[in-house]
Amino acid sequence: MPGFELFGEEERSEVQEVLETGVLFRYGFESQRKGVWKAKAFEEAFAERLSVGYCHLVGSGTAALQTALAALGVGAGDEIIIPPFTFVATFEAILNAGAVPVFSEIDDTLCLDPDALEAVLTPRTKAVMPVHMCGAMARIDEIVAVCKKHDLVLIEDACQSVGGTFRNKPLGTFGNAGCFSFDSVKTITCGEGGAIVTDDKDTYLRADAFSDHGHDHLGENRGLDEHIMLGSNFRISELNAAVGFAQLRRLDTIIGIQKRNHAAIQQAITKIPGIQLRTIPDPDGDTATFLTFFLAEETAARNAAKALAAAGVGGCPYWYDNNWHYYRQWDHLKQMKCAAKPPIVFYPEAPDYAHLHFPKSDSLMSRAISMQIMVGWSEAELSRRIETTVNVLKEYA
Ligand SMILES: *Cc1c(COP(=O)(O)O)cnc(C)c1O
């Protein structure tokens, strides 16, 4: 799955070009940089690849989420609906905006359940942030419909699903903005990096300004442009952007190999009675970074995950026990362990994060195992993995 598996001469030569100019900063220095603009080049190539109007790169996926929230006018006290199966960055970005994460159940896509959204709407609801988990999509068309009906902002957290599509439309382009991560365990990497995409010019300009202390980037130089808002420093460096620019050219190759490996394993395990696959609304648009399946009940799933690891089939997370990705283990959120005072001002009806219940999500997550799909497996490794996986799963299914 990760871009770090495929890394070589193209990345090195892109970085070398930047080093030769000596300009590591993405703005300004026109005369010194000799026409080398790696962040801009990546942004243009990524926007073109996604057939979207604008792309703005930032320093991480987390920064992309926070920048998108700010650019779309999400602020103090606004409620943002997110799933309890995601990465901690999703709620951190919302809390750091002074806004309030409101969790809503997932369905068997392991993403936000569109049918559950209306039950958690309040007059404070400002946005919905579905997360396309583990390389594949939510029922995004139905989520779009709910957002339109209730006039809500839609921000897709597509950090794990770069290159994914739903009915041929790229994930991240269904709402007001889409966010991507290029950290070192995502499909392609910048080392650290993230992107916001949007079709709305104003949203793009606000994202560009927010991520660089509010600079509008219109003046002759940095000293002469305006601060159109308070912002922060979420900039990406030219070095990181250069790596990502080379990686982007590998994206189709990476997804192609993942799909082939994924299909081979999937074909073998679907023959096992009692194994049920995660629902993928459009299998053609799955980037196949993971193969996720359900066992009949929690104990069987937990034991099967352990048995896979013991049998040498690594990279099979049991997310229900994982403290990065599922609500159950987010003790720091439950106890609101903040560096100082909590970033949000709570109001009487705010969620009590310590005592939320997600019976439907629990029932799915407690039975789910994911298998990370690697690009570098040899044919022999893949066959061995399939054989061992089938043998282990037969015992627990
Ligand atoms: C990785 C990830 C992020 C954050 O990306 P970083 O680049 O690591 O900050 C946000 N959301 C999800 C779902 C992710 O998987």
Side-chain angles (χ1 to χ4, degrees), residues 27-359:
Y27 298 109
F29 297 95
E30 279 83 352
S31 56
Q32 284 175 50
R33 65 192 317 142
K34 303 184 189 106
V36 176
W37 300 87
K38 294 302 176 191
K40 272 192 193 165
F42 187 159
E43 286 167 350
E44 278 163 23
F46 197 62
E48 195 181 313
R49 153 109 208 186
L50 270 62
S51 305
V52 70
Y54 306 92
C55 168
H56 180 60
L57 283 184
V58 286
S60 69
T62 309
L65 293 171
Q66 206 170 331
T67 300
L69 289 164
L72 288 161
V74 173
D78 291 334
E79 292 181 357
I80 316 301
I81 301 174
I82 59 171
F85 179 46
T86 178
F87 175 57
V88 293
T90 311
F91 63 77
E92 284 174 340
I94 294 168
L95 290 169
N96 286 331
V100 180
V102 171
F103 292 94
S104 183
E105 296 263 29
I106 57 170
D107 61 21
D108 58 9
T109 64
L110 298 186
C111 302
L112 263 187
D113 178 356
D115 297 331
L117 292 175
E118 287 186 333
V120 297
L121 295 181
T122 78
R124 293 176 186 263
T125 309
K126 171 91 182 187
V128 180
M129 195 190 271
V131 184
H132 300 296
M133 279 303 277
C134 304
M137 76 265 1
R139 285 152 64 196
I140 191 65
D141 52 339
E142 295 170 60
I143 294 173
V144 167
V146 175
C147 290
K148 286 211 169 120
K149 180 172 165 197
H150 297 280
D151 197 20
L152 300 170
V153 169
L154 172 57
I155 302 171
E156 292 169 85
D157 179 339
C159 286
Q160 296 193 2
S161 297
V162 64
T165 55
F166 176 70
R167 297 190 187 137
N168 291 322
K169 186 171 164 58
L171 302 180
T173 67
F174 283 83
N176 301 77
C179 297
F180 294 88
S181 165
F182 308 115
D183 77 23
S184 48
V185 294
K186 298 304 201 288
T187 310
I188 56 171
T189 190
C190 288
E192 297 284 356
I196 302 121
V197 298
T198 180
D199 270 320
D200 179 55
K201 187 168 186 189
D202 188 50
T203 303
Y204 162 72
L205 292 174
R206 288 169 59 83
D208 178 53
F210 181 80
S211 63
D212 184 24
H213 307 296
H215 280 283
D216 64 9
H217 302 124
L218 294 177
E220 290 277 300
N221 65 46
R222 256 179 117 61
L224 294 176
D225 60 3
E226 297 287 328
H227 293 284
I228 57 169
M229 65 175 79
L230 292 168
S232 193
N233 174 6
F234 290 138
R235 293 185 305 256
I236 192 163
S237 85
E238 285 286 280
L239 292 173
N240 293 85
V243 174
F245 186 44
Q247 289 261 299
L248 183 58
R249 299 198 283 271
R250 299 185 189 274
L251 182 57
D252 289 326
T253 307
I254 291 172
I255 293 175
I257 301 171
Q258 285 171 176
K259 278 180 171 292
R260 197 196 60 202
N261 291 346
H262 182 280
I265 304 172
Q266 173 166 318
Q267 199 189 17
I269 70 165
T270 42
K271 292 186 194 130
I272 306 169
I275 295 289
Q276 186 202 337
L277 297 177
R278 167 191 181 188
T279 298
I280 309 278
D282 175 11
D284 289 341
D286 183 0
T287 61
T289 54
F290 284 93
L291 172 62
T292 304
F293 47 90
F294 302 104
L295 280 87
E297 46 85 29
E298 176 178 342
T299 312
R302 187 179 279 115
N303 290 339
K306 279 186 199 147
L308 284 169
V313 181
C316 295
Y318 177 62
W319 303 117
Y320 195 56
D321 287 346
N322 176 292
N323 72 5
W324 291 96
H325 293 285
Y326 191 57
Y327 169 80
R328 204 165 82 93
Q329 301 283 1
W330 290 337
D331 290 338
H332 59 327
L333 172 73
K334 294 181 187 179
Q335 295 160 27
M336 240 341 121
K337 282 190 198 161
C338 296
K341 290 179 185 166
I344 56 174
V345 179
F346 287 98
Y347 47 89
E349 327 83 85
D352 170 8
Y353 295 109
H355 299 102
L356 301 177
H357 294 289
F358 305 105

